[in-house]
Amino acid sequence: MAVDHIPTGIPGVDNILAEKGIPRGHTILVSGGPGSGKTTFAMQFLHTGATQHNESGVYVTLDEEPSDIRRNMLKYGWDLKKLEDEKKLVFINISPVRVAPSETAGLIQIGMKEFRLIKLLEAIKQGVKEVDAKRVVVDPVTIFTLQYPDEVERIYAMRDLMRELRKTRCTNLLISELRGTGWEREHQFEEYLAQGVILLRTFLKGSRLVRVFQVEKMRGLAIDNQPRPYEISDKGIEVYPGATVYK
Amino acid sequence: MAVDHIPTGIPGVDNILAEKGIPRGHTILVSGGPGSGKTTFAMQFLHTGATQHNESGVYVTLDEEPSDIRRNMLKYGWDLKKLEDEKKLVFINISPVRVAPSETAGLIQIGMKEFRLIKLLEAIKQGVKEVDAKRVVVDPVTIFTLQYPDEVERIYAMRDLMRELRKTRCTNLLISELRGTGWEREHQFEEYLAQGVILLRTFLKGSRLVRVFQVEKMRGLAIDNQPRPYEISDKGIEVYPGATVYK
Amino acid sequence: MAVDHIPTGIPGVDNILAEKGIPRGHTILVSGGPGSGKTTFAMQFLHTGATQHNESGVYVTLDEEPSDIRRNMLKYGWDLKKLEDEKKLVFINISPVRVAPSETAGLIQIGMKEFRLIKLLEAIKQGVKEVDAKRVVVDPVTIFTLQYPDEVERIYAMRDLMRELRKTRCTNLLISELRGTGWEREHQFEEYLAQGVILLRTFLKGSRLVRVFQVEKMRGLAIDNQPRPYEISDKGIEVYPGATVYK
Amino acid sequence: MAVDHIPTGIPGVDNILAEKGIPRGHTILVSGGPGSGKTTFAMQFLHTGATQHNESGVYVTLDEEPSDIRRNMLKYGWDLKKLEDEKKLVFINISPVRVAPSETAGLIQIGMKEFRLIKLLEAIKQGVKEVDAKRVVVDPVTIFTLQYPDEVERIYAMRDLMRELRKTRCTNLLISELRGTGWEREHQFEEYLAQGVILLRTFLKGSRLVRVFQVEKMRGLAIDNQPRPYEISDKGIEVYPGATVYK
Amino acid sequence: MAVDHIPTGIPGVDNILAEKGIPRGHTILVSGGPGSGKTTFAMQFLHTGATQHNESGVYVTLDEEPSDIRRNMLKYGWDLKKLEDEKKLVFINISPVRVAPSETAGLIQIGMKEFRLIKLLEAIKQGVKEVDAKRVVVDPVTIFTLQYPDEVERIYAMRDLMRELRKTRCTNLLISELRGTGWEREHQFEEYLAQGVILLRTFLKGSRLVRVFQVEKMRGLAIDNQPRPYEISDKGIEVYPGATVYK
Amino acid sequence: MAVDHIPTGIPGVDNILAEKGIPRGHTILVSGGPGSGKTTFAMQFLHTGATQHNESGVYVTLDEEPSDIRRNMLKYGWDLKKLEDEKKLVFINISPVRVAPSETAGLIQIGMKEFRLIKLLEAIKQGVKEVDAKRVVVDPVTIFTLQYPDEVERIYAMRDLMRELRKTRCTNLLISELRGTGWEREHQFEEYLAQGVILLRTFLKGSRLVRVFQVEKMRGLAIDNQPRPYEISDKGIEVYPGATVYK
């Protein structure tokens, strides 16, 4: 019953996570604004797993095309195609609407009704099986939750997703889109349901915007919950665990 | 008719509660954000009761699996399994939806309708009887109240829950999820209904986040209502009753 | 046609009320947050009336049980049971729902429809007659107004309540729950309808929370409308009329 | 076609109104919070008119009872009964609901439907005729506008009220209840429709609340639109036209 | 295809408009709070056009009576009646409801349905033809847009109004009522549709309110978009193009 | 699979975009307030493409008339007519309503239903084919998204638009209207869907408004995400990549 942890491999992050990493099998929410590096963070997690820890990964994309992600990640020197060929990474592309726009009007409705929890879970499970994955990313989970306009239904759907992900025994990152931009935002219900919450935000410090990394929550781990600066360079994301955000 | 109090046993908290503790039989709202240590606080209350005051406890979980809680609490050195074996602790797991996701669509609806006050109360009473409990935790009560979209109905349901809990003669903690993150939040109706309110929050002090404990309300007790810093270490929660939050 | 006043007897309050008290027969709104001492304030008003001015009182409770109030007030040394025996105080307990929870689902609806202005007024009048009361408290009036979802209906219901209370010739305190917590809150319609408004609030002053008493309005009286600090000690509420809230 | 003005007689106010007063025949909105002295301001306007300028007045009350107003104004030494006997003042009491509460439930609905623009206008015209009035007060106009839930209908109703008031050739004050409490409130549509707007507000200045008078708008007059302090003493309202609110 | 400009003639304004004025044929939104001088600004534009540039004007009023405007403008020494007699100015009074209040209830509804874009445009065109106008004012356009509760319909109606105004080849000012009072207000859709936007606002500077003029937008012209102080004196509006709002 | 970039040619912008420009084929959101120079920015992008890089452009206008845009751009010395004659630029004018206002009432409804994704895409594709375009601008995309009142439908419609634009292999700017004016605005869903986001905003710095350019996001490129001052002169937009917004 001892807790096992898997290192994220992202510079600075495991230091913050009690020098350990994410508790194995947990589902972590990674929430950030546009341009905050959410996809980079998630792919860095899978790439490190595949190249340094021999753990395969599943990348479920609900928005960007896999070809775009492959190309964009080249700037970090990550050759995803190679990982896919080696069965260390698999893309699951389940963006709900795929039909030609000239037929869209009616089909959007159908697509929306069919695109549901079951379909999402079946796709994930198939991906996990295909590469014997230990790590899963769903990017973004926001478009999934928006399908449930009733708040209670939305909470139940997210709970079910998390419970089923748990059965895969993988460690999972759910990417989420932040709406509010200030410190005094409202908490979102997903933050309560997830076993861990990582925030990627941007705040104004005098004349400069500073990128701010924060582990808001990580069940089962004594974490550093302080806001820490991070940067996105040509090696991906790097967090500075000893630095403070404001002087 | 003299008032009896039960110590929480959480370092610093009873000092704030007039050196006494929580009035026996009262129902207290413990409200905090994600990662604020709400579950740790509640379990520390039950663990201390069971190991130091010979008072058994019931832990009603509406969200996390008991197995997860057992494992997460190990980091504080709390062996819950042992307490359960000694009949000093019992978990009541009444998370509303339990069915396999492939059958979910229809069953969520049914599950939601069935999951109501009566079911919750029956489960609590059974747990109390099983271990002759003196302390009860419901974590989180938020998912219960969300089921009542009409505000007046929600208030009535919460009142009924509190009245019935009172009949068990146990001392109860209802865990609640905070939405607003600033000092100038709106008060929630639960804060008026509960006999006591404890807030676990986080505020920015210069470059650092500070965890802030506050007893907002405690009927029948002359309390210190000032905000006080607290920490979550490998021994659980510790509050610093003499310290101020800002220098 | 000269105006008569009745002293509240609460230390510091009558000084603020032009050294007089509340105009006899007026209906005053006492509005505050959780833990602000609203119930203590109201009971102190009745207790002083009964023990020092030979004026009996009616305490209408829509939320707390009389037995809880009796017990909680013991910490101030107020023996309510004795006052009740002497016919100087009577509790009217008209909390809308009273049925056992196992029968609740349907009955809440019925209870809510029946629980209306008329029932509330009849109960008050009976209580006034029973002890020949000069002072009345309704605690809290919030749950009464919430029953009218339409804003205009709510205003009319509150107006009718106030007009009828006036006919009893008693001096009345209506306890109200504040939602907003900052200085720049919205005014509530009750504040316009009542003949006086007393606010019990809490504000942050540097590192400390300060309890702030303010008479926002008192028709027919030249008042001090400045915010003044107050405390809740083992003698009840004490307001400091000469002190300022911030240095 | 020269513009005639009538002095308000309220100390300090006419200085701000270009040393003249309110343009004769205009309709002015007087908007303030609870306890801001709206009724005192309005009655001081009528009292001065009746006692110093030989202009009779009509006081339309939609909320307070005339007997209460008469009594409350005694503290300023204003003997309204005497003015009424001399036909220099008349109260029009058209508070919409007047029936006994035991019959209220159904009658509120009827009362609300009947209470409309026409009834209000007929009452005003009758009052004007009765005392040959030159000044009219409607206190508060808020309860009248709330009856029109649709925003456009509400604007039209207010426009019609103002147009008809104009035909009486009286100078009119419409009392309005402010909701927002900060400097950065939303403007209300009434402020655009009225020919003048006077604001009675309260702001925090260091440790003190300061009463702030401001003429936001006065068509046809070169006004001082600066915020100015005012006080409510035993002589009524006094504004300090040369003083600044802060420092 | 060279751009022609017409001077506003308002002191300071043309300096800000690249020493030129408003591009001929453009439609400009003039948005301000109550008492900000919107009507004065608009009439000053027409008066200058008529007396100094031999350009006649049409003043469409949806709220104030022409007789009131004529009288109020006398304080600036502007004799509108004279301009009307010389066919240099014409008032179009199309305030939607005109019927006697005793018949209002039903007629408001009809009035509102009939009062539409077509009627407004026909009236404008007729006025333009009558005095061979080069300048048009619609004051306020807000009451026109409020008639379309659906946001998209409202945008379309405003677009149509602007397109048709364009066909008259006049230069047009649409007067609009500001709701928000702070710097950080929401932009309104009209600001995007108009070819130019002029804001007349009031901000607190220490202890004083300062009137602030700003050209937010002026298509086809290199403008000074800085906030500049302005005043309303007995000569009308004067803007200080070289001054800054805060020291 | 190497990433190709196209320079914007706007002074300062390509320095911020890693000295490269926009990744070829990407769709970029350009979001700004009224008067922020959105149209100037977009046309500068097309003009530079046509005159310096031999890349033709399509300008889809949903609001302004092409003739207005041609005239307004003359102030920068850009002769669009010449570019159109050389087949280096084509305007697509698909503003939804075009009918005479006298027939508008019914036709708006029809126009709105017909104006949909398909029509928009067909027009764009035809324009691209006509001049063999490499660059496309849609100005503004806001009026397109407003047609979908349901949030999920709106997201799907925007996704479909972006996917289809991608097939043209052009580099695209979608112009979007900002509502909020402060730093702490809510993020809009379009910012998550677009491959890049450029913000054109205005903030108050002491007594002056400063125009602020920011690349919030640019997939596949290591950008400078800092806010930078920009100006609109008679040469169009110029950004100052080395300068900071506040001293």
Side-chain angles (χ1 to χ4, degrees), chain E residues 26 152 155-156 159-160 163-164 166 184-187 189 192 214 216 219-221 225-226 244 246, chain F residues 32-33 62-65 68 71 75 95-97 101 104 143 146 177-179 181 207-209 211:
Chain E
H26 278 206
V152 178
I155 294 176
Y156 278 62
R159 278 167 53 116
D160 282 347
R163 276 163 200 260
E164 289 302 309
R166 179 189 170 83
E184 301 209 349
R185 69 195 177 90
E186 297 278 293
H187 290 301
F189 74 90
Y192 288 103
Q214 187 196 352
E216 184 181 63
R219 280 185 189 155
L221 210 62
N225 77 330
Q226 293 299 316
T244 54
Y246 302 103
Chain F
L62 282 79
D63 178 16
E64 264 191 291
E65 293 288 332
D68 283 338
R71 198 179 57 173
K75 75 177 164 200
S95 82
V97 178
T104 301
I143 209 164
L146 278 173
E177 299 170 354
L178 269 181
R179 284 294 163 102
T181 64
S207 176
R208 287 186 65 78
L209 284 174
R211 296 189 186 277

Side-chain angles (χ1 to χ4, degrees), chain C residues 176-193:
Chain C
S176 161
E177 299 170 354
L178 270 181
R179 284 293 162 102
T181 64
W183 270 114
E184 301 209 349
R185 67 194 179 91
E186 297 279 293
H187 290 300
Q188 298 305 299
F189 73 91
E190 296 95 322
E191 301 173 52
Y192 288 103
L193 293 175

Side-chain angles (χ1 to χ4, degrees), chain C:
Chain C
M1 220 169 124
V3 187
D4 183 21
H5 301 84
I6 68 171
T8 64
I10 301 169
V13 172
D14 297 323
N15 307 82
I16 285 168
L17 296 171
E19 306 290 342
K20 291 178 171 168
I22 297 170
R24 183 175 297 281
H26 278 205
T27 295
I28 310 301
L29 196 76
V30 178
S31 198
S36 62
K38 295 183 300 297
T39 296
T40 298
F41 186 93
M43 194 53 89
Q44 198 163 352
F45 173 72
L46 295 194
H47 187 264
T48 307
T51 58
Q52 297 176 20
H53 301 281
N54 199 28
E55 297 195 346
S56 297
V58 173
Y59 201 100
V60 183
T61 172
L62 281 80
D63 177 15
E64 265 191 290
E65 294 287 331
S67 60
D68 284 338
I69 300 177
R70 280 184 206 110
R71 200 179 57 172
N72 291 338
M73 293 300 126
L74 282 179
K75 75 177 164 200
Y76 305 122
W78 302 338
D79 187 346
L80 304 184
K81 194 73 198 132
K82 184 159 167 289
L83 293 184
E84 291 176 78
D85 292 343
E86 299 169 1
K87 290 282 183 192
K88 290 186 169 165
L89 174 70
V90 66
F91 276 104
I92 307 288
N93 188 351
I94 55 167
S95 80
V97 179
R98 180 122 320 179
V99 295
S102 59
E103 307 163 59
T104 300
L107 286 172
I108 284 181
Q109 299 307 326
I110 299 170
M112 281 173 55
K113 281 211 182 78
E114 276 176 9
F115 173 64
R116 291 219 163 266
L117 187 58
I118 306 165
K119 196 175 156 192
L120 175 59
L121 283 169
E122 277 170 5
I124 292 172
K125 285 175 182 168
Q126 191 180 327
V128 169
K129 199 173 164 189
E130 202 173 315
V131 297
D132 187 24
K134 304 294 183 225
R135 305 181 177 202
V136 171
V137 168
V138 179
D139 180 9
V141 79
T142 309
I143 209 163
F144 167 71
T145 55
L146 278 173
Q147 291 180 108
Y148 300 84
D150 176 69
E151 192 181 12
V152 178
E153 268 194 66
R154 213 183 308 147
I155 294 176
Y156 278 62
M158 181 60 93
R159 278 168 54 115
D160 283 347
L161 171 60
M162 290 184 175
R163 276 162 199 261
E164 291 302 309
L165 278 175
R166 178 187 170 84
K167 294 184 186 162
T168 67
R169 296 177 175 272
C170 291
T171 307
N172 314 291
L173 303 187
L174 303 185
I175 308 303
S176 161
E177 299 170 354
L178 270 181
R179 284 293 162 102
T181 64
W183 270 114
E184 301 209 349
R185 67 194 179 91
E186 297 279 293
H187 290 300
Q188 298 305 299
F189 73 91
E190 296 95 322
E191 301 173 52
Y192 288 103
L193 293 175
Q195 291 169 297
V197 176
I198 289 173
L199 300 171
L200 302 175
R201 291 185 286 180
T202 308
F203 294 101
L204 202 64
K205 179 189 171 181
S207 177
R208 287 187 64 78
L209 283 173
V210 186
R211 296 189 186 277
V212 178
F213 175 94
Q214 188 196 352
V215 180
E216 184 182 63
K217 165 181 177 179
M218 194 61 67
R219 281 184 188 155
L221 211 62
I223 50 152
D224 166 22
N225 77 329
Q226 293 299 317
R228 302 295 177 191
Y230 76 98
E231 283 176 11
I232 309 177
S233 72
D234 56 10
K235 291 171 188 163
I237 282 179
E238 179 166 10
V239 181
Y240 302 97
T244 54
V245 171
Y246 302 103
K247 191 171 46 195

Side-chain angles (χ1 to χ4, degrees), chain A residues 22 26-32 38 41-42 45 59-60 62 120-121 124 136-142 144-145 157-163 165-166 171-177 190-191 193-200:
Chain A
I22 296 170
H26 278 205
T27 296
I28 309 302
L29 196 76
V30 178
S31 198
K38 296 183 300 297
F41 186 93
F45 173 71
Y59 201 99
V60 183
L62 282 81
L120 175 58
L121 282 169
I124 293 171
V136 171
V137 168
V138 179
D139 180 10
V141 79
T142 309
F144 167 72
T145 56
M158 182 60 94
R159 278 167 54 116
D160 283 347
L161 172 60
M162 290 185 176
R163 277 164 200 259
L165 278 176
R166 179 187 167 84
T171 308
N172 315 291
L173 303 188
L174 303 185
I175 307 303
S176 161
E177 298 170 355
E190 297 96 321
E191 300 174 53
L193 292 175
Q195 292 169 297
V197 177
I198 289 172
L199 300 171
L200 302 175

Side-chain angles (χ1 to χ4, degrees), chain F:
Chain F
M1 221 169 121
V3 186
D4 183 20
H5 301 84
I6 70 170
T8 64
I10 300 169
V13 173
D14 297 323
N15 307 82
I16 285 168
L17 296 170
E19 307 289 343
K20 291 177 172 169
I22 296 171
R24 184 175 295 281
H26 277 206
T27 296
I28 308 302
L29 195 77
V30 178
S31 198
S36 62
K38 296 183 300 297
T39 295
T40 298
F41 186 93
M43 194 53 90
Q44 199 163 350
F45 173 71
L46 293 194
H47 187 265
T48 308
T51 58
Q52 296 177 20
H53 301 281
N54 200 27
E55 298 195 346
S56 297
V58 173
Y59 201 99
V60 183
T61 172
L62 282 79
D63 178 16
E64 264 191 291
E65 293 288 332
S67 60
D68 283 338
I69 300 177
R70 278 184 208 109
R71 198 179 57 173
N72 290 339
M73 293 300 128
L74 282 179
K75 75 177 164 200
Y76 304 122
W78 303 337
D79 187 346
L80 303 185
K81 195 72 199 132
K82 183 160 169 286
L83 293 185
E84 290 176 78
D85 292 343
E86 298 169 2
K87 291 281 183 193
K88 289 188 169 166
L89 174 70
V90 67
F91 275 105
I92 307 288
N93 189 352
I94 56 168
S95 82
V97 178
R98 179 122 321 178
V99 295
S102 60
E103 306 163 61
T104 301
L107 286 172
I108 283 181
Q109 298 308 325
I110 299 170
M112 281 171 56
K113 281 211 182 77
E114 275 177 10
F115 173 62
R116 288 215 165 272
L117 186 58
I118 305 165
K119 195 174 156 191
L120 175 58
L121 283 168
E122 277 170 5
I124 292 172
K125 285 177 182 167
Q126 191 178 325
V128 169
K129 198 172 164 189
E130 202 172 315
V131 297
D132 189 22
K134 303 294 182 227
R135 304 180 178 203
V136 171
V137 168
V138 180
D139 180 10
V141 79
T142 309
I143 209 164
F144 167 72
T145 56
L146 278 173
Q147 292 180 109
Y148 301 84
D150 175 69
E151 192 182 12
V152 177
E153 268 194 66
R154 212 182 309 148
I155 294 176
Y156 278 62
M158 182 59 94
R159 278 168 54 116
D160 283 347
L161 172 60
M162 290 184 175
R163 276 163 200 261
E164 290 302 310
L165 278 175
R166 180 188 168 83
K167 293 185 186 162
T168 66
R169 296 177 174 273
C170 291
T171 307
N172 314 291
L173 302 189
L174 303 185
I175 307 303
S176 161
E177 299 170 354
L178 269 181
R179 284 294 163 102
T181 64
W183 271 114
E184 302 209 348
R185 68 194 178 92
E186 298 278 292
H187 290 301
Q188 298 306 300
F189 75 90
E190 296 95 323
E191 300 174 52
Y192 288 103
L193 292 175
Q195 291 168 297
V197 177
I198 289 172
L199 300 170
L200 301 175
R201 291 184 286 180
T202 308
F203 293 100
L204 201 64
K205 178 188 172 181
S207 176
R208 287 186 65 78
L209 284 174
V210 186
R211 296 189 186 277
V212 178
F213 175 94
Q214 187 197 351
V215 181
E216 184 182 62
K217 166 180 174 179
M218 195 59 69
R219 280 185 189 155
L221 211 62
I223 51 153
D224 166 22
N225 77 329
Q226 292 300 317
R228 303 293 177 193
Y230 76 97
E231 283 175 10
I232 309 178
S233 73
D234 57 9
K235 290 171 188 163
I237 282 180
E238 178 166 11
V239 181
Y240 302 98
T244 54
V245 171
Y246 301 103
K247 192 173 49 209

Side-chain angles (χ1 to χ4, degrees), chain D residues 139-175:
Chain D
D139 180 10
V141 80
T142 309
I143 209 163
F144 167 71
T145 55
L146 278 174
Q147 291 180 109
Y148 301 83
D150 177 69
E151 192 181 12
V152 178
E153 268 194 67
R154 213 183 307 149
I155 294 176
Y156 278 63
M158 182 61 94
R159 278 168 53 115
D160 283 347
L161 171 60
M162 290 185 175
R163 276 163 199 260
E164 291 302 309
L165 278 176
R166 178 188 170 84
K167 293 183 186 163
T168 66
R169 297 178 174 272
C170 292
T171 307
N172 314 291
L173 302 188
L174 303 185
I175 308 303

